[in-house]
Amino acid sequence: DAGITQSPRHKVTETGTPVTLRCHQTENHRYMYWYRQDPGHGLRLIHYSYGVKDTDKGEVSDGYSVSRSKTEDFLLTLESATSSQTSVYFCAISDRLAGGYNEQFFGPGTRLTVL
Amino acid sequence: GEDVEQSLFLSVREGDSSVINCTYTDSSSTYLYWYKQEPGAGLQLLTYIFSNMDMKQDQRLTVLLNKKDKHLSLRIADTQTGDSAIYFCAESVKSGYALNFGKGTSLLVTP
């Protein structure tokens, strides 16, 4: 299994509080991604990174920010958590090769509940 | 973005074949993927197919690709209870950085 850890694995927080989720990899992969998974929506991309300090928005980026100061860590911050951000969050990594092959390896997920 | 379409549920009996279908959106996708998610876990790559192929076989798995109709299918032969999971198809998006996932098909295998 690819070396990807997410912390915390579970979190319950209150509306309006900031929350930071951490993704840590030991694979030295260049690309890192944050997805959220919700029933009826599948996986939706929040933000991704294509290198240290290089990030971009995904499909559902409103209310989220990210930072990547080291290759191995990708942080997702909910600036002011809302109940609509209750979800399971997955981090993924890849080392996309020339020609477009982009196998992504997923972390175990973080279950976030916003009350 | 546009949706990758999958049926939401499939139920089969142990020993039968399962066929999970997917319609993708981007005719220029170079690779298409099938991921499996077991309960409480992250996604794992099951198999993939390059866009210049029509079929790929890997043990019990057969992937069929119809580029004209943008249709992808995954056949699991001799389905076992351990195959019960959610299966996602995904396509490489034009930007090249991310994958566009379908909503997932929940496969239930009954004894």
Side-chain angles (χ1 to χ4, degrees):
Chain A
D1 287 348
I4 312 168
T5 56
Q6 293 185 232
S7 58
R9 295 293 314 280
H10 302 272
K11 186 170 182 68
V12 180
T13 191
E14 294 188 349
T15 297
T17 59
V19 175
T20 295
L21 308 183
R22 180 182 184 237
C23 177
H24 178 78
Q25 60 145 328
T26 57
E27 305 295 321
N28 201 37
H29 281 7
R30 178 180 176 186
Y31 303 95
M32 298 186 75
Y33 311 82
W34 277 109
Y35 292 91
R36 60 178 288 175
Q37 184 178 25
D38 305 289
H41 290 279
L43 266 77
R44 292 181 291 174
L45 182 67
I46 305 171
H47 282 277
Y48 64 94
S49 168
Y50 47 98
V52 173
K53 293 192 168 69
D54 291 322
T55 65
D56 206 349
K57 296 179 180 181
E59 180 188 354
V60 290
S61 59
D62 286 348
Y64 301 94
S65 62
V66 289
S67 67
R68 190 166 178 205
S69 58
K70 299 186 286 187
T71 299
E72 57 264 36
D73 289 325
F74 193 32
L75 304 181
L76 176 72
T77 297
L78 287 65
E79 293 135 12
S80 176
T82 67
S83 59
S84 65
Q85 294 175 311
T86 292
S87 187
V88 180
Y89 291 86
F90 287 100
C91 173
I93 64 174
S94 73
D95 238 3
R96 181 176 168 270
L97 303 177
Y101 183 64
N102 188 8
E103 178 179 358
Q104 294 187 10
F105 300 91
F106 282 78
T110 294
R111 184 173 293 276
L112 176 68
T113 302
V114 183
L115 301 176
Chain B
E2 293 182 62
D3 288 344
V4 174
E5 299 287 345
Q6 297 180 241
S7 53
L8 293 183
F9 300 103
L10 178 64
S11 180
V12 299
R13 285 191 177 177
E14 193 173 17
D16 288 349
S17 291
S18 309
V19 179
I20 302 171
N21 294 301
C22 169
T23 302
Y24 61 97
T25 64
D26 190 348
S27 58
S28 67
S29 291
T30 51
Y31 287 89
L32 295 133
Y33 311 82
W34 283 104
Y35 279 82
K36 177 183 180 182
Q37 184 183 32
E38 296 183 351
L43 280 70
Q44 284 193 307
L45 182 68
L46 203 56
T47 187
Y48 67 92
I49 188 167
F50 186 47
S51 58
N52 71 349
M53 298 170 67
D54 297 324
M55 185 181 84
K56 179 179 180 182
Q57 191 146 3
D58 184 0
Q59 299 183 324
R60 292 190 298 123
L61 306 177
T62 303
V63 179
L64 296 178
L65 175 60
N66 180 330
K67 284 193 73 175
K68 174 177 168 289
D69 295 334
K70 290 188 279 188
H71 185 263
L72 183 72
S73 68
L74 173 69
R75 179 177 179 270
I76 306 173
D78 187 26
T79 312
Q80 303 298 307
T81 54
D83 294 323
S84 292
I86 303 175
Y87 292 81
F88 292 89
C89 75
E91 59 177 352
S92 302
V93 298
K94 274 187 178 173
S95 69
Y97 291 130
L99 299 180
N100 191 19
F101 285 88
K103 292 181 173 56
T105 299
S106 184
L107 174 65
L108 176 64
V109 183
T110 56

